[in-house]
Amino acid sequence: MHGFIACFLLASLLFAAQSHAAESQLGPVVKGFGPVYDVPADSFNLDPGQHYKVVMDIGKGPENPAELNRSIESAARFLNMHARAGIPPQNLDLAIVLHGSGARAALTPEAHAKHFDVPNGSQGLVEALGEAGVAIYICGQTAAYYGYAVSDLLPQITVAASAMTVHVRLQQEGYRAILF
């Protein structure tokens, strides 16, 4: 009997803890994407007086090509969380490099349907990031390998000679890479 009561109390405590979990917030930079959580005001953060150049490498897409690419959504999260923490959005230059299966997100609805028979679950996110001023590159080698023509790409996408080329050039221009 004591074991049952102990299990009941433990389950009740876990349920209560979960019901008090923080809720994520969207925006303000990338509307509708990039959920973030508030953290204490004195948390370690970027310096609001500095200008940052960041490049994110996205080489993998979701198993199901109709799903949102959560790795790309991290770019929206990066912009939203820092803006919410007082970093002026104009102090963040962000670029994304798509290659491998991550490049599927670059496709127009028609091209995505042609290649995968499902809608592009990342299209709205790519469009919102483009509206937020994020530079989005696709590896030209990946595009050629998979048979993606320039006309298959969303207007927010810039074709590069390769993903490696983008990283070398942007690092030469002072960008710092986030490689996860």
Side-chain angles (χ1 to χ4, degrees):
M1 186 67 164
H2 292 288
F4 174 78
I5 293 172
C7 285
F8 176 78
L9 290 174
L10 181 61
S12 297
L13 286 172
L14 289 173
F15 178 78
Q18 288 176 350
S19 67
H20 294 290
E23 290 198 28
S24 63
Q25 314 261 333
L26 295 175
V29 179
V30 184
K31 310 238 185 316
F33 297 98
V36 297
Y37 296 91
D38 289 331
V39 296
D42 62 348
S43 296
F44 184 83
N45 198 357
L46 298 179
D47 178 346
Q50 295 290 316
H51 188 95
Y52 297 91
K53 294 175 160 187
V54 178
V55 59
M56 297 179 80
D57 184 80
I58 312 293
K60 196 165 188 205
E63 236 176 84
N64 178 351
E67 291 179 5
L68 180 71
N69 187 320
R70 298 288 177 198
S71 295
I72 298 172
E73 192 171 36
S74 290
R77 187 174 296 109
F78 180 82
L79 293 173
N80 288 340
M81 85 172 132
H82 287 102
R84 292 179 71 76
I87 308 303
Q90 64 270 18
N91 285 4
L92 297 173
D93 290 339
L94 181 60
I96 297 172
V97 182
L98 301 174
H99 60 97
S101 61
R104 297 186 304 231
L107 297 175
T108 64
E110 300 78 21
H112 201 277
K114 178 180 84 174
H115 286 276
F116 303 104
D117 290 327
V118 294
N120 180 351
S122 299
Q123 178 185 348
L125 173 59
V126 168
E127 291 169 344
L129 287 166
E131 288 175 23
V134 175
I136 308 171
Y137 300 93
I138 187 171
C139 172
Q141 302 304 300
T142 295
Y145 177 80
Y146 287 116
Y148 304 158
V150 172
S151 60
D152 289 340
L153 305 176
L154 293 166
Q156 294 79 10
I157 306 300
T158 300
V159 178
S162 73
M164 297 176 285
T165 302
V166 178
H167 282 291
V168 169
R169 181 168 168 184
L170 291 184
Q171 288 178 38
Q172 189 70 20
E173 293 174 7
Y175 280 74
R176 303 293 188 246
I178 298 177
L179 303 172
F180 64 82

